[in-house]
Amino acid sequence: MANDASAVFDTLSPAVSKGSLADPFTPPADSALWRKNFLLGAATASYQIEGAVNEDGRLPSIWDTFSAIPGKVLAGDTGAVACDHYHRWEADIEMLASLGLEGYRLSIAWPRVMDAAGVPNRKGLDFYKRLLNRLKEKGITTFVTLYHWDLPQHLEDRGGWLNRDTAYRFADYADLMSRELAGTVDAWATLNEPWCSAYLGYGNGHHAPGLANDRFATQAMHHLLLAHGLAVPVLRANDPASQKGIVANIGRGTPNSDSAADQRAAHLFEVQHNAWILDPLLKGSYPQDLFELWPGTEPLVLDGDMETISAPLDFLGINYYFRTNVASDGAHGFRDVPLEGVERTQMGWEVYPDGLRDLLTGFKKTYHNLPPIYITENGMASDDQVTDGHVDDTQRISFLKRHLAAVDQAIKAGVDIRGYFLWSLMDNFEWAFGYERRFGVVHVDYSTQKRTVKHSAELVAKFLKERKARA
Ligand code: FCB
């Protein structure tokens, strides 16, 4: 079969496998990517791939509710079936392993594993146990995110992340999961991208639960970070051998001109995207400039919260996608000024690998206690088509190569970066953009659920095979 994952090593595009074309992916000989202990993997998230939303006692999440509201998600798509991974997980792990990927970052669906009273749901837990045991059997390093945005709806009904109690419910959930799964998880990430949960969920309403108020966003952020801080010691107690961390998305903001106002705007952009999360985690305080941008939005912080939030981490997960060019909005903040003539992806996001390097080297200067870093997501969407059993995702190959070069440059500049996860293993439910935006290195035909390995994944597999052979 032309492009079955299991046969991937035999199906490299003829020109590449014969070596008649320069391989457009393989990193240069001096790249840190050749180091065997630099982990290369792929990432997914529960709601984006699992489907089976009503099975085995899973409760509704805020994304079931949100995606059912007309107009919230492109084309009215929902995660009800997604990649049907809940039923196809075995073949999906075979595919991951056949590509030679060494790490897999997945997330657990909180509504699958416990009910409103905190009673464990055995069937849901068993799903993750089977999955993680199989990954261990395959020798794949497992990064497990506890919260990748699918909050149980019953918690949202009681205020969601605006309710401080949700942070304590999260710690209970972390307790259950780390007792049940200890030994099968190499690294726990408490939250995925609290910026998106707080700002897109409660600040501008583009994501579930769809509320739009800056004051809500700062309070939701505080409760999310508190949830993280409460969970870390629980994870440490129950599963001491694993690493504990959190995943933050970071954004590069560049000034549209040399004017002081535009420079300030770019600074505020990065405060809002990066320091809002990283300062509390690594410095134990919120950046005061945030409240210049959003006056009067200081969250309610109780005694001891900042100490809880800033407890040391074993690793920091970084997700990076693009930069934003900004100018002053003439008042407190910034406005986007999209650049003309730059390379963009299917999302309209600018391809800007230097942003990743510059942010990482900048963090090393700003945060003296910066933990070891894993790039927990990086990738791009393209309108990929299967032609004669092949997917030629040329732009993605070049995107990955350039971003991995940026990672290598940051490593050479002294940043401790230990691994990189492609977003994503396969095309999936891209939140408000539904299934139209394809981020996978494996193509999914949603009418048949057929997986087709894209050319990018073939080249990553080829590199990993070579690296292994040299070790
Ligand atoms: C990130 C999310 C991930 C995916 C990528 C494209 O913000 O963590 O789930 O949607 O963007």
Side-chain angles (χ1 to χ4, degrees):
M1 286 255 314
N3 218 0
D4 271 4
S6 56
V8 66
F9 295 128
D10 307 325
T11 61
L12 297 174
S13 293
V16 171
S17 40
K18 286 195 203 103
S20 60
L21 280 181
D23 177 331
F25 175 76
T26 297
D30 69 341
S31 167
L33 274 290
W34 282 101
R35 294 183 196 152
K36 211 186 162 283
N37 61 359
F38 185 89
L39 185 68
L40 240 148
T44 62
S46 48
Y47 191 72
Q48 296 182 274
I49 64 166
E50 286 179 359
V53 291
N54 296 316
E55 261 175 76
D56 293 342
R58 179 189 178 278
L59 301 175
S61 80
I62 55 174
W63 271 95
D64 298 291
T65 310
F66 187 75
S67 59
I69 302 171
K72 297 294 185 193
V73 176
L74 201 65
D77 290 341
T78 77
V81 177
C83 307
D84 195 32
H85 173 74
Y86 192 73
H87 300 117
R88 297 169 190 266
W89 64 273
E90 292 187 270
D92 287 339
I93 292 178
E94 283 304 317
M95 176 173 81
L96 177 82
S98 79
L99 291 169
L101 290 163
E102 299 159 340
Y104 182 47
R105 173 172 176 247
L106 63 111
S107 81
I108 289 169
W110 188 352
R112 239 187 237 296
V113 294
M114 67 200 298
D115 73 7
V119 176
N121 174 23
R122 219 14 79 192
K123 287 187 174 166
L125 286 169
D126 284 349
F127 170 69
Y128 295 108
K129 283 190 176 177
R130 285 194 297 271
L131 188 68
L132 286 158
N133 283 329
R134 183 67 57 83
L135 288 161
K136 285 286 98 185
E137 278 162 36
K138 297 270 174 200
I140 291 169
T141 299
T142 52
F143 272 58
V144 174
T145 307
L146 284 167
Y147 183 69
H148 201 125
W149 308 353
D150 39 3
L151 187 73
Q153 181 62 39
H154 60 81
L155 289 177
E156 184 57 38
D157 294 343
R158 292 194 278 145
W161 292 109
L162 297 177
N163 183 349
R164 186 176 170 95
D165 188 56
T166 299
Y168 295 91
R169 300 287 71 80
F170 180 79
D172 293 343
Y173 159 56
D175 180 41
L176 174 70
M177 298 316 299
S178 50
R179 275 189 284 113
E180 294 282 340
L181 300 178
T184 59
V185 176
D186 293 296
W188 292 96
T190 51
L191 308 176
N192 177 68
E193 302 190 349
W195 185 89
C196 293
S197 301
Y199 186 66
L200 303 180
Y202 295 85
N204 74 8
H206 292 182
H207 279 186
L211 302 180
N213 178 312
D214 293 342
R215 173 72 183 80
F216 287 178
T218 60
Q219 193 64 57
M221 177 64 88
H222 185 64
H223 292 152
L224 281 151
L225 294 175
L226 181 65
H228 156 81
L230 293 169
V232 168
V234 172
L235 297 169
R236 287 202 192 285
N238 291 342
D239 190 8
S242 61
Q243 298 184 71
K244 286 91 196 163
I246 185 170
V247 170
N249 55 306
I250 56 167
R252 183 65 167 151
T254 51
N256 192 46
S257 78
D258 290 342
S259 75
D262 286 358
Q263 304 272 345
R264 178 80 186 151
H267 166 75
L268 289 175
F269 176 93
E270 292 196 359
V271 166
Q272 202 243 63
H273 283 78
N274 309 329
W276 185 16
I277 298 94
L278 298 181
D279 276 16
L281 290 168
L282 301 174
K283 291 183 172 171
S285 58
Y286 286 102
Q288 286 312 302
D289 289 355
L290 184 69
F291 309 112
E292 176 181 323
L293 191 62
W294 291 331
T297 64
E298 286 84 349
L300 181 64
V301 176
L302 301 191
D303 276 356
D305 284 2
M306 299 315 291
E307 288 71 27
T308 303
I309 289 170
S310 58
L313 300 170
D314 301 330
F315 75 95
L316 176 65
I318 288 292
N319 296 352
Y320 174 79
Y321 288 95
F322 59 97
R323 74 125 159 217
T324 308
N325 188 58
V326 297
S328 165
D329 67 356
H332 302 291
F334 55 82
R335 63 186 169 87
D336 293 9
V337 185
L339 292 169
E340 302 285 332
V342 294
E343 180 185 349
R344 292 185 184 277
T345 71
Q346 189 192 18
M347 296 294 283
W349 296 347
E350 184 188 346
V351 178
Y352 191 68
D354 286 358
L356 177 57
R357 179 200 60 208
D358 296 346
L359 286 168
L360 290 168
T361 51
F363 295 156
K364 188 171 158 62
K365 289 193 193 107
T366 309
Y367 303 108
H368 300 296
N369 53 348
L370 188 70
I373 286 175
Y374 287 87
I375 307 302
T376 34
E377 287 181 27
N378 177 235
M380 58 158 281
S382 45
D383 182 19
D384 302 316
Q385 318 282 340
V386 183
T387 312
D388 298 333
H390 286 275
V391 180
D392 254 322
D393 54 341
T394 317
Q395 191 190 7
R396 180 173 293 101
I397 293 163
S398 158
F399 179 102
L400 296 177
K401 185 181 178 92
R402 286 178 281 162
H403 284 79
L404 283 162
V407 169
D408 179 46
Q409 288 162 13
I411 293 174
K412 291 189 169 124
V415 187
D416 182 2
I417 307 169
R418 302 195 176 174
Y420 173 102
F421 292 81
L422 302 156
W423 183 270
S424 173
L425 174 63
M426 56 188 151
D427 296 338
N428 59 50
F429 176 76
E430 179 43 38
W431 308 112
F433 296 93
Y435 296 101
E436 194 200 84
R437 307 295 160 92
R438 294 182 174 275
F439 272 93
V441 293
V442 173
H443 180 276
V444 176
D445 177 337
Y446 295 105
S447 62
T448 59
Q449 291 295 347
K450 183 176 164 49
R451 276 66 162 146
T452 303
V453 172
K454 299 182 190 178
H455 193 42
S456 56
E458 294 174 336
L459 292 176
V460 172
K462 176 174 174 276
F463 164 62
L464 286 167
K465 198 180 178 202
E466 274 174 36
R467 188 171 83 167
K468 211 169 172 184
R470 285 194 197 179

